[in-house]
Amino acid sequence: MLDACAHWPILKSALPRAVTVELLRLDESQQTKRAVTENVSPRGARIVTDWHRAPGKHLLVSAPKEGVKSLARVVYCQRMESTKFAVGLQLVVRVEEWEKLAS
């Protein structure tokens, strides 16, 4: 399996943290889905979901319990299992709550 961190330096500083997030597709379907992060950083997250999302696509990501809501760009999408994908997201808004974890 590819090492996503080698292709996306934001995740090199990411901390392991499981956060439940809500994803909203910004296409005509406007579908929503819950997912869980594997790790987070102030500018990104790696999530596990059953949605395949192509790099370059955008999602709206929110973590209501943490007051997080940001537009995010899909940086990579890797198949983990037959129905699960690891998706690297680059957040448009810096998440101060997740930055506190890193310091």
Side-chain angles (χ1 to χ4, degrees):
M1 183 164 291
L2 291 172
D3 178 8
C5 292
H7 303 291
W8 193 37
I10 289 173
L11 283 182
K12 287 186 179 183
S13 63
L15 298 171
R17 181 146 187 235
V19 176
T20 300
V21 295
E22 295 175 4
L23 308 172
L24 171 66
R25 289 173 65 157
L26 300 177
D27 58 15
E28 61 282 345
S29 73
Q30 296 287 297
Q31 289 180 314
T32 59
K33 180 78 69 175
R34 285 186 184 232
V36 176
T37 63
E38 284 189 335
N39 54 52
V40 298
S41 75
R43 292 305 298 251
R46 177 180 165 105
I47 62 166
V48 176
T49 181
D50 58 1
W51 271 354
H52 177 273
R53 299 302 299 155
K57 295 291 184 182
H58 288 86
L59 300 167
L60 184 63
V61 179
S62 61
K65 291 183 179 180
E66 298 194 7
V68 173
K69 190 170 193 175
S70 177
L71 182 65
R73 182 177 65 88
V74 176
V75 178
Y76 67 86
C77 183
Q78 296 175 318
R79 182 178 298 278
M80 295 176 65
E81 304 170 8
S82 61
T83 61
K84 296 287 182 189
F85 298 90
V87 179
L89 299 175
Q90 180 179 22
L91 303 174
V92 172
V93 175
R94 186 173 192 85
V95 178
E96 299 300 326
E97 181 69 25
W98 292 348
E99 184 170 28
K100 291 176 191 173
L101 296 171
S103 49

XYZ file of all heavy atoms in Angstrom:
811
model
N 0.839 -1.175 0.000
C 0.000 0.000 0.000
C 0.887 1.241 0.000
O 1.937 1.277 0.611
C -0.913 -0.008 1.230
C -1.867 1.156 1.246
S -3.235 0.965 2.406
C -4.134 -0.334 1.634
N 0.457 2.288 -0.662
C 1.213 3.532 -0.724
C 1.276 4.209 0.622
O 0.343 4.144 1.407
C 0.533 4.495 -1.699
C 0.574 4.144 -3.162
C -0.311 5.105 -3.948
C 1.983 4.200 -3.687
N 2.377 4.869 0.880
C 2.515 5.681 2.077
C 2.012 7.078 1.743
O 2.696 7.858 1.102
C 3.973 5.728 2.529
C 4.166 6.602 3.749
O 3.162 7.047 4.339
O 5.323 6.837 4.114
N 0.788 7.385 2.157
C 0.165 8.662 1.822
C 0.944 9.830 2.390
O 0.994 10.896 1.795
C -1.269 8.686 2.335
N 1.575 9.652 3.536
C 2.324 10.744 4.164
C 3.482 11.194 3.289
O 3.860 12.359 3.319
C 2.823 10.333 5.544
S 1.492 10.132 6.731
N 4.039 10.288 2.530
C 5.145 10.663 1.659
C 4.680 11.614 0.562
O 5.453 12.413 0.057
C 5.750 9.411 1.024
N 3.419 11.550 0.198
C 2.876 12.389 -0.857
C 2.167 13.617 -0.315
O 1.823 14.510 -1.070
C 1.896 11.584 -1.718
C 2.527 10.376 -2.311
N 3.487 10.447 -3.296
C 2.373 9.070 -2.031
C 3.872 9.236 -3.618
N 3.219 8.380 -2.867
N 1.930 13.682 0.980
C 1.168 14.774 1.551
C 1.756 15.158 2.897
O 1.417 14.604 3.926
C -0.295 14.376 1.679
C -1.185 15.519 1.950
C -1.094 16.788 1.455
C -2.322 15.526 2.812
N -2.103 17.571 1.943
C -2.872 16.824 2.766
C -2.921 14.564 3.600
C -3.996 17.168 3.497
C -4.044 14.922 4.314
C -4.579 16.204 4.256
N 2.652 16.139 2.938
C 3.392 16.475 4.158
C 2.526 16.928 5.328
O 2.952 16.839 6.461
C 4.328 17.606 3.711
C 4.167 17.771 2.264
C 3.044 16.921 1.796
N 1.319 17.416 5.085
C 0.454 17.853 6.186
C 0.246 16.717 7.181
O 0.183 16.928 8.374
C -0.901 18.369 5.645
C -0.697 19.705 4.931
C -1.917 18.517 6.756
C -1.914 20.222 4.213
N 0.133 15.493 6.685
C -0.130 14.372 7.580
C 1.088 13.959 8.390
O 0.954 13.248 9.371
C -0.656 13.170 6.802
C -2.122 13.273 6.393
C -2.552 12.002 5.674
C -3.019 13.538 7.568
N 2.277 14.406 8.019
C 3.460 14.047 8.801
C 3.375 14.615 10.211
O 3.929 14.065 11.140
C 4.726 14.518 8.099
C 5.044 13.680 6.884
C 6.358 14.050 6.292
C 6.619 13.139 5.093
N 7.887 13.364 4.487
N 2.672 15.738 10.379
C 2.531 16.344 11.700
C 1.189 15.988 12.347
O 0.853 16.518 13.397
C 2.663 17.866 11.601
O 1.620 18.385 10.805
N 0.437 15.123 11.724
C -0.880 14.763 12.236
C -0.767 13.863 13.461
O 0.177 13.098 13.606
C -1.687 14.057 11.159
N -1.753 13.992 14.322
C -1.815 13.183 15.531
C -2.951 12.178 15.430
O -4.037 12.517 14.944
C -2.070 14.088 16.744
C -0.984 15.117 17.026
C -1.449 16.075 18.107
C 0.285 14.414 17.457
N -2.728 10.959 15.907
C -3.812 9.979 15.897
C -4.969 10.486 16.758
O -4.758 10.865 17.914
C -3.190 8.728 16.511
C -1.723 8.958 16.504
C -1.507 10.426 16.479
N -6.134 10.556 16.187
C -7.302 10.993 16.938
C -8.553 10.580 16.193
O -8.712 10.879 15.013
C -7.289 12.510 17.112
C -8.475 12.989 17.922
C -8.112 14.173 18.764
N -9.234 14.491 19.637
C -9.804 15.675 19.686
N -9.363 16.660 18.952
N -10.803 15.890 20.505
N -9.454 9.901 16.883
C -10.730 9.494 16.296
C -11.767 10.563 16.593
O -12.111 10.805 17.748
C -11.162 8.151 16.866
N -12.224 11.235 15.548
C -13.251 12.261 15.658
C -14.364 11.895 14.685
O -14.089 11.614 13.511
C -12.689 13.659 15.287
C -13.787 14.708 15.316
C -11.544 14.041 16.201
N -15.594 11.883 15.153
C -16.715 11.648 14.255
C -16.977 12.924 13.473
O -17.121 14.000 14.056
C -17.976 11.248 15.040
O -17.694 10.049 15.769
C -19.145 10.999 14.101
N -16.980 12.800 12.158
C -17.227 13.944 11.290
C -18.412 13.641 10.382
O -18.727 12.483 10.119
C -15.986 14.309 10.441
C -14.851 14.783 11.316
C -15.547 13.152 9.568
N -19.042 14.699 9.931
C -20.104 14.594 8.938
C -19.566 15.156 7.629
O -18.935 16.216 7.618
C -21.336 15.367 9.395
C -21.960 14.776 10.632
C -23.121 15.601 11.165
O -23.497 16.615 10.532
O -23.633 15.240 12.220
N -19.790 14.427 6.553
C -19.327 14.829 5.233
C -20.522 15.151 4.359
O -21.500 14.414 4.352
C -18.529 13.698 4.584
C -17.393 13.101 5.399
C -16.843 11.863 4.703
C -16.307 14.138 5.615
N -20.447 16.246 3.631
C -21.486 16.626 2.679
C -20.839 16.709 1.313
O -19.873 17.469 1.125
C -22.108 17.976 3.050
C -23.053 18.588 2.015
C -24.309 17.730 1.850
C -23.420 20.005 2.396
N -21.353 15.910 0.388
C -20.856 15.975 -0.988
C -21.370 17.251 -1.634
O -22.533 17.596 -1.492
C -21.327 14.758 -1.777
C -20.628 13.488 -1.350
C -21.197 12.273 -1.990
N -20.985 12.274 -3.432
C -20.981 11.172 -4.172
N -21.175 9.991 -3.613
N -20.788 11.234 -5.457
N -20.495 17.929 -2.341
C -20.874 19.186 -2.979
C -21.169 19.000 -4.460
O -20.862 19.845 -5.280
C -19.763 20.223 -2.770
C -19.464 20.551 -1.314
C -18.301 21.522 -1.206
C -20.701 21.107 -0.621
N -21.805 17.884 -4.778
C -22.242 17.645 -6.149
C -23.766 17.683 -6.170
O -24.400 18.062 -5.185
C -21.685 16.317 -6.685
C -22.083 15.114 -5.833
O -23.003 15.229 -5.001
O -21.457 14.053 -5.997
N -24.331 17.275 -7.244
C -25.791 17.337 -7.373
C -26.521 16.433 -6.385
O -27.669 16.684 -6.047
C -26.232 17.027 -8.807
C -25.855 15.658 -9.328
C -24.392 15.546 -9.772
O -23.715 16.562 -9.943
O -23.935 14.402 -9.917
N -25.861 15.413 -5.864
C -26.531 14.477 -4.943
C -26.727 15.072 -3.554
O -27.672 14.710 -2.858
C -25.741 13.178 -4.828
O -24.551 13.380 -4.073
N -25.798 15.960 -3.118
C -25.858 16.562 -1.776
C -25.984 15.507 -0.678
O -26.596 15.745 0.360
C -27.023 17.557 -1.686
C -26.884 18.765 -2.596
C -25.838 19.739 -2.093
O -25.989 20.291 -1.034
N -24.784 19.941 -2.849
N -25.405 14.328 -0.902
C -25.454 13.251 0.081
C -24.610 13.594 1.296
O -23.596 14.286 1.186
C -24.939 11.943 -0.511
C -25.846 11.328 -1.528
C -25.254 10.036 -2.047
O -24.079 9.963 -2.384
N -26.075 9.008 -2.119
N -25.045 13.081 2.448
C -24.256 13.235 3.668
C -23.883 11.856 4.192
O -24.571 10.869 3.939
C -25.027 14.001 4.763
O -26.219 13.287 5.070
C -25.356 15.404 4.317
N -22.783 11.819 4.923
C -22.282 10.561 5.471
C -21.488 10.870 6.723
O -20.841 11.903 6.822
C -21.373 9.914 4.424
C -20.759 8.601 4.786
C -21.675 7.435 4.664
C -22.017 7.110 3.236
N -22.806 5.902 3.111
N -21.546 9.978 7.695
C -20.685 10.086 8.873
C -19.437 9.256 8.629
O -19.480 8.220 7.997
C -21.396 9.587 10.119
C -22.420 10.563 10.600
C -23.001 10.129 11.912
N -24.042 11.078 12.244
C -24.118 11.706 13.383
N -23.252 11.462 14.336
N -25.080 12.557 13.611
N -18.337 9.746 9.173
C -17.062 9.043 9.056
C -16.273 9.314 10.329
O -16.665 10.133 11.149
C -16.295 9.525 7.828
N -15.149 8.622 10.473
C -14.292 8.795 11.639
C -12.883 9.097 11.150
O -12.395 8.472 10.207
C -14.292 7.530 12.521
C -13.318 7.667 13.686
C -15.694 7.238 13.032
N -12.232 10.057 11.805
C -10.857 10.372 11.445
C -9.926 9.329 12.043
O -10.210 8.746 13.088
C -10.433 11.761 11.968
O -10.470 11.751 13.398
C -11.322 12.857 11.422
N -8.807 9.090 11.361
C -7.720 8.286 11.928
C -6.713 9.205 12.590
O -6.115 8.860 13.587
C -7.020 7.475 10.844
C -7.781 6.274 10.394
C -6.943 5.393 9.492
O -5.993 5.875 8.838
O -7.245 4.192 9.442
N -6.519 10.366 11.966
C -5.629 11.365 12.539
C -6.037 12.744 12.040
O -6.750 12.868 11.049
C -4.156 11.069 12.253
C -3.879 10.875 10.792
O -4.233 11.704 9.971
N -3.241 9.771 10.457
N -5.586 13.762 12.770
C -5.947 15.135 12.437
C -4.731 16.041 12.584
O -3.792 15.732 13.318
C -7.087 15.665 13.345
C -8.355 14.860 13.166
C -6.673 15.692 14.811
N -4.759 17.142 11.871
C -3.789 18.218 12.020
C -4.576 19.511 11.827
O -5.730 19.466 11.395
C -2.660 18.089 10.991
O -3.103 18.489 9.714
N -3.985 20.653 12.124
C -4.729 21.903 11.985
C -5.228 22.174 10.560
O -6.198 22.884 10.377
C -3.728 22.974 12.415
C -2.759 22.257 13.288
C -2.670 20.863 12.742
N -4.571 21.605 9.547
C -4.967 21.861 8.162
C -5.448 20.636 7.409
O -5.650 20.699 6.207
C -3.798 22.476 7.393
C -3.414 23.863 7.827
C -4.573 24.858 7.781
N -5.109 25.055 6.462
C -4.967 26.136 5.735
N -4.308 27.149 6.206
N -5.495 26.217 4.546
N -5.643 19.514 8.111
C -6.086 18.339 7.381
C -6.483 17.196 8.285
O -6.353 17.263 9.500
N -6.979 16.139 7.644
C -7.385 14.943 8.374
C -7.360 13.752 7.418
O -7.493 13.909 6.202
C -8.784 15.111 8.957
N -7.188 12.592 8.000
C -7.332 11.324 7.264
C -8.568 10.663 7.833
O -8.653 10.439 9.050
C -6.104 10.439 7.455
C -6.221 9.076 6.786
C -4.945 8.292 7.049
N -5.088 6.888 6.752
C -4.584 6.286 5.679
N -3.904 6.990 4.791
N -4.739 4.996 5.493
N -9.526 10.388 6.972
C -10.779 9.774 7.416
C -10.933 8.404 6.783
O -10.304 8.099 5.778
C -12.003 10.649 7.060
C -12.129 10.809 5.539
C -11.942 11.991 7.758
C -13.460 11.343 5.092
N -11.776 7.603 7.403
C -12.141 6.300 6.853
C -13.631 6.357 6.542
O -14.440 6.735 7.394
C -11.836 5.164 7.849
C -12.308 3.831 7.294
C -10.342 5.121 8.152
N -13.969 6.005 5.314
C -15.354 6.077 4.862
C -15.616 5.011 3.805
O -14.675 4.407 3.286
C -15.663 7.486 4.285
O -17.020 7.549 3.865
C -14.752 7.828 3.133
N -16.875 4.799 3.489
C -17.188 3.872 2.401
C -17.444 4.628 1.093
O -17.843 4.048 0.103
C -18.371 2.960 2.756
C -19.636 3.718 3.092
O -19.640 4.961 3.051
O -20.629 3.056 3.407
N -17.186 5.916 1.090
C -17.281 6.717 -0.133
C -15.945 6.766 -0.834
O -14.932 7.088 -0.222
C -17.634 8.152 0.205
C -19.070 8.483 0.287
C -20.128 7.691 -0.009
C -19.616 9.730 0.713
N -21.292 8.352 0.200
C -21.009 9.612 0.643
C -19.068 10.923 1.138
C -21.853 10.648 0.991
C -19.910 11.954 1.477
C -21.294 11.818 1.397
N -15.944 6.504 -2.113
C -14.743 6.757 -2.918
C -14.869 8.188 -3.423
O -15.871 8.556 -4.018
C -14.648 5.798 -4.100
C -13.471 6.082 -4.966
N -13.522 7.002 -5.999
C -12.210 5.612 -4.932
C -12.334 7.067 -6.560
N -11.523 6.233 -5.947
N -13.859 9.001 -3.159
C -13.856 10.385 -3.625
C -12.564 10.622 -4.395
O -11.476 10.335 -3.896
C -13.948 11.386 -2.470
C -15.214 11.268 -1.644
C -16.498 11.424 -2.429
N -16.589 12.727 -3.059
C -17.306 12.968 -4.147
N -17.973 12.003 -4.738
N -17.346 14.167 -4.662
N -12.685 11.160 -5.571
C -11.516 11.402 -6.409
C -10.721 12.609 -5.904
O -11.312 13.583 -5.437
C -11.964 11.647 -7.846
N -9.407 12.533 -5.979
C -8.589 13.690 -5.607
C -9.030 14.934 -6.382
O -9.383 14.863 -7.555
C -7.170 13.260 -5.993
C -7.208 11.772 -5.864
C -8.588 11.376 -6.346
N -9.023 16.054 -5.673
C -9.453 17.315 -6.274
C -10.903 17.660 -5.990
O -11.305 18.807 -6.111
N -11.704 16.669 -5.626
C -13.111 16.927 -5.295
C -13.194 17.629 -3.946
O -12.275 17.548 -3.134
C -13.913 15.614 -5.228
C -14.014 14.891 -6.539
C -14.875 15.654 -7.509
C -15.055 14.850 -8.797
N -15.844 15.570 -9.767
N -14.300 18.308 -3.711
C -14.496 19.031 -2.460
C -15.654 18.461 -1.658
O -16.621 17.951 -2.225
C -14.738 20.514 -2.736
C -13.507 21.221 -3.191
N -13.110 21.250 -4.502
C -12.564 21.905 -2.499
C -11.976 21.922 -4.612
N -11.628 22.329 -3.407
N -15.523 18.546 -0.348
C -16.551 18.125 0.603
C -16.686 19.217 1.654
O -15.730 19.964 1.901
C -16.137 16.838 1.330
C -15.880 15.582 0.528
C -15.187 14.541 1.409
C -17.188 15.033 0.012
N -17.821 19.268 2.298
C -17.968 20.089 3.488
C -17.817 19.148 4.667
O -18.513 18.130 4.745
C -19.329 20.776 3.520
C -19.548 21.734 4.685
C -18.566 22.900 4.617
C -20.971 22.252 4.683
N -16.891 19.449 5.563
C -16.594 18.596 6.714
C -17.012 19.330 7.976
O -16.677 20.501 8.155
C -15.085 18.283 6.799
C -14.776 17.427 8.016
C -14.614 17.605 5.534
N -17.750 18.634 8.846
C -18.089 19.243 10.131
C -17.936 18.214 11.243
O -18.164 17.028 11.048
C -19.505 19.819 10.113
O -20.458 18.814 9.880
N -17.473 18.710 12.376
C -17.361 17.919 13.599
C -18.095 18.738 14.659
O -17.491 19.562 15.345
C -15.907 17.682 13.971
N -19.400 18.556 14.765
C -20.226 19.411 15.622
C -19.761 19.480 17.075
O -19.782 20.548 17.669
C -21.622 18.789 15.518
C -21.608 18.042 14.225
C -20.199 17.558 14.055
N -19.309 18.374 17.635
C -18.879 18.371 19.036
C -17.648 19.239 19.262
O -17.394 19.679 20.377
C -18.612 16.947 19.525
C -19.862 16.122 19.652
C -19.561 14.748 20.201
C -20.840 13.946 20.346
N -20.593 12.615 20.867
N -16.873 19.469 18.202
C -15.658 20.262 18.320
C -15.797 21.639 17.676
O -14.837 22.403 17.611
C -14.485 19.506 17.707
C -14.236 18.211 18.442
C -12.908 17.587 18.096
O -12.103 18.207 17.379
O -12.672 16.472 18.565
N -16.986 21.948 17.171
C -17.208 23.243 16.545
C -16.463 23.428 15.237
O -16.143 24.547 14.855
N -16.203 22.335 14.530
C -15.446 22.388 13.280
C -16.406 22.338 12.097
O -17.303 21.498 12.050
C -14.452 21.206 13.185
C -13.781 21.157 11.832
C -13.432 21.281 14.301
N -16.199 23.258 11.155
C -16.935 23.233 9.887
C -16.040 23.881 8.849
O -15.638 25.034 9.004
C -18.252 23.985 10.004
C -19.157 23.790 8.824
C -20.537 24.362 9.116
C -21.527 23.891 8.085
N -22.870 24.318 8.404
N -15.675 23.114 7.819
C -14.744 23.626 6.820
C -14.962 22.945 5.478
O -15.304 21.763 5.414
C -13.296 23.376 7.268
O -12.383 23.795 6.271
N -14.716 23.686 4.439
C -14.611 23.112 3.116
C -13.297 22.335 3.081
O -12.304 22.767 3.688
C -14.591 24.220 2.063
C -14.541 23.772 0.609
C -15.814 23.016 0.243
C -14.379 24.992 -0.289
N -13.277 21.194 2.414
C -12.064 20.383 2.338
C -11.891 19.853 0.918
O -12.865 19.551 0.236
C -12.138 19.219 3.317
N -10.633 19.746 0.513
C -10.286 19.175 -0.790
C -9.727 17.785 -0.578
O -8.894 17.562 0.309
C -9.236 20.056 -1.474
C -8.837 19.561 -2.863
C -7.847 20.508 -3.520
N -6.583 20.561 -2.814
C -5.565 19.734 -3.045
N -5.665 18.774 -3.942
N -4.443 19.853 -2.373
N -10.179 16.833 -1.377
C -9.658 15.463 -1.315
C -8.268 15.463 -1.940
O -8.089 15.864 -3.091
C -10.582 14.470 -2.050
C -9.972 13.072 -2.069
C -11.966 14.451 -1.404
N -7.283 15.020 -1.156
C -5.902 14.967 -1.626
C -5.579 13.581 -2.163
O -4.888 13.441 -3.162
C -4.928 15.358 -0.493
C -3.488 15.254 -0.948
C -5.236 16.758 -0.008
N -6.081 12.563 -1.493
C -5.899 11.195 -1.963
C -7.052 10.333 -1.472
O -7.756 10.697 -0.538
C -4.552 10.597 -1.511
C -4.464 10.385 -0.015
C -4.950 9.221 0.581
C -3.899 11.353 0.803
C -4.877 9.040 1.952
C -3.815 11.180 2.165
C -4.309 10.017 2.740
O -4.249 9.834 4.088
N -7.230 9.199 -2.122
C -8.251 8.226 -1.719
C -7.663 6.842 -1.984
O -7.375 6.495 -3.126
C -9.533 8.434 -2.523
S -10.882 7.345 -2.032
N -7.467 6.080 -0.903
C -6.864 4.751 -1.008
C -7.852 3.693 -0.539
O -8.463 3.846 0.523
C -5.631 4.641 -0.116
C -4.508 5.545 -0.477
C -3.392 5.450 0.548
O -3.642 5.396 1.738
N -2.163 5.452 0.080
N -7.961 2.619 -1.311
C -8.805 1.501 -0.887
C -8.128 0.797 0.279
O -6.945 0.479 0.228
C -9.021 0.515 -2.020
C -9.947 -0.642 -1.640
C -10.192 -1.581 -2.795
N -10.849 -0.940 -3.910
C -12.162 -0.738 -4.004
N -12.950 -1.114 -3.031
N -12.680 -0.158 -5.063
N -8.899 0.563 1.362
C -8.379 -0.151 2.528
C -8.893 -1.580 2.544
O -8.170 -2.504 2.848
C -8.814 0.551 3.820
C -8.235 1.939 3.973
S -8.855 2.760 5.445
C -8.170 1.736 6.739
N -10.164 -1.725 2.287
C -10.840 -3.020 2.236
C -11.779 -2.963 1.038
O -11.798 -1.971 0.307
C -11.661 -3.242 3.510
C -10.895 -3.137 4.800
C -11.832 -3.118 6.012
O -13.038 -3.339 5.864
O -11.322 -2.873 7.101
N -12.595 -3.977 0.889
C -13.479 -3.989 -0.276
C -14.469 -2.826 -0.268
O -14.847 -2.332 -1.319
C -14.235 -5.314 -0.350
O -15.030 -5.484 0.801
N -14.864 -2.347 0.917
C -15.848 -1.269 0.964
C -15.383 -0.042 1.744
O -16.170 0.867 1.990
C -17.167 -1.766 1.597
O -16.896 -2.199 2.932
C -17.781 -2.885 0.802
N -14.125 0.005 2.141
C -13.615 1.133 2.933
C -12.469 1.834 2.218
O -11.650 1.193 1.562
C -13.115 0.664 4.302
C -14.194 0.082 5.184
C -15.094 1.175 5.713
C -16.134 0.574 6.638
N -17.145 1.510 7.016
N -12.436 3.152 2.388
C -11.402 3.971 1.782
C -10.802 4.893 2.827
O -11.513 5.402 3.695
C -11.979 4.835 0.652
C -12.546 4.031 -0.477
C -13.884 3.648 -0.470
C -11.748 3.647 -1.543
C -14.417 2.902 -1.506
C -12.273 2.900 -2.578
C -13.611 2.521 -2.562
N -9.498 5.125 2.728
C -8.825 6.152 3.527
C -8.741 7.381 2.632
O -8.247 7.306 1.511
C -7.436 5.696 3.940
N -9.257 8.493 3.143
C -9.319 9.714 2.352
C -8.556 10.814 3.081
O -8.836 11.101 4.247
C -10.787 10.146 2.118
C -10.849 11.432 1.316
C -11.571 9.032 1.420
N -7.588 11.402 2.392
C -6.841 12.528 2.941
C -7.525 13.822 2.555
O -7.808 14.042 1.372
N -7.817 14.648 3.540
C -8.506 15.908 3.303
C -7.629 17.089 3.690
O -7.019 17.089 4.766
C -9.791 15.973 4.136
C -10.843 14.906 3.848
C -11.997 15.032 4.830
C -11.337 15.014 2.412
N -7.582 18.080 2.839
C -6.918 19.340 3.149
C -8.010 20.349 3.456
O -8.857 20.646 2.607
C -6.082 19.812 1.971
C -5.365 21.114 2.253
C -4.518 21.546 1.076
O -4.742 21.141 -0.053
N -3.537 22.377 1.353
N -8.006 20.864 4.689
C -9.043 21.796 5.122
C -8.711 23.208 4.656
O -7.555 23.623 4.664
C -9.165 21.771 6.642
C -9.470 20.400 7.257
C -9.419 20.494 8.776
C -10.811 19.871 6.787
N -9.747 23.955 4.281
C -9.572 25.346 3.877
C -9.361 26.224 5.108
O -8.574 27.156 5.090
C -10.800 25.826 3.056
C -10.739 27.320 2.801
C -10.882 25.048 1.753
N -10.051 25.895 6.188
C -9.966 26.658 7.431
C -9.040 25.929 8.404
O -9.131 24.717 8.569
C -11.372 26.808 8.059
C -11.297 27.495 9.403
C -12.298 27.548 7.122
N -8.152 26.666 9.031
C -7.266 26.092 10.050
C -8.112 25.759 11.287
O -8.847 26.608 11.783
C -6.182 27.103 10.396
C -5.141 26.566 11.312
C -4.004 27.589 11.464
N -2.887 26.979 12.099
C -1.952 26.275 11.490
N -2.001 26.109 10.197
N -0.972 25.731 12.151
N -7.986 24.544 11.789
C -8.767 24.094 12.941
C -7.931 24.300 14.208
O -7.028 23.527 14.501
C -9.195 22.622 12.789
C -9.966 22.157 14.019
C -10.035 22.446 11.535
N -8.239 25.372 14.926
C -7.476 25.729 16.126
C -7.547 24.628 17.182
O -6.566 24.360 17.876
C -7.988 27.054 16.697
C -7.859 28.219 15.739
C -6.446 28.511 15.297
O -5.511 28.322 16.106
O -6.261 28.919 14.145
N -8.689 23.999 17.311
C -8.854 22.929 18.310
C -7.858 21.797 18.051
O -7.262 21.261 18.962
C -10.288 22.388 18.259
C -10.574 21.292 19.262
C -10.586 21.788 20.716
O -10.845 22.975 20.939
O -10.329 20.959 21.586
N -7.667 21.457 16.782
C -6.741 20.385 16.449
C -5.297 20.861 16.531
O -4.383 20.074 16.737
C -7.064 19.825 15.071
C -8.394 19.098 15.036
C -9.142 18.723 16.126
C -9.121 18.679 13.905
N -10.294 18.094 15.725
C -10.310 18.053 14.343
C -8.911 18.779 12.527
C -11.256 17.525 13.494
C -9.858 18.248 11.667
C -11.000 17.626 12.153
N -5.079 22.177 16.378
C -3.730 22.709 16.525
C -3.270 22.628 17.975
O -2.115 22.351 18.275
C -3.681 24.161 16.060
C -2.286 24.731 16.089
C -2.194 26.079 15.405
O -3.194 26.803 15.371
O -1.105 26.379 14.899
N -4.183 22.829 18.922
C -3.850 22.749 20.349
C -3.337 21.362 20.716
O -2.492 21.207 21.583
C -5.065 23.095 21.206
C -5.474 24.537 21.116
C -6.739 24.775 21.905
C -7.320 26.139 21.611
N -8.636 26.324 22.234
N -3.854 20.348 20.055
C -3.433 18.972 20.318
C -1.979 18.756 19.931
O -1.267 17.974 20.559
C -4.290 17.979 19.538
C -5.767 17.935 19.885
C -6.504 17.087 18.881
C -5.956 17.404 21.281
N -1.545 19.452 18.890
C -0.194 19.256 18.373
C 0.864 19.973 19.191
O 2.032 19.663 19.110
C -0.121 19.742 16.920
N 0.445 20.937 20.013
C 1.456 21.696 20.775
C 1.619 21.193 22.186
O 1.036 20.302 22.635
C 1.111 23.167 20.783
O -0.221 23.389 21.135
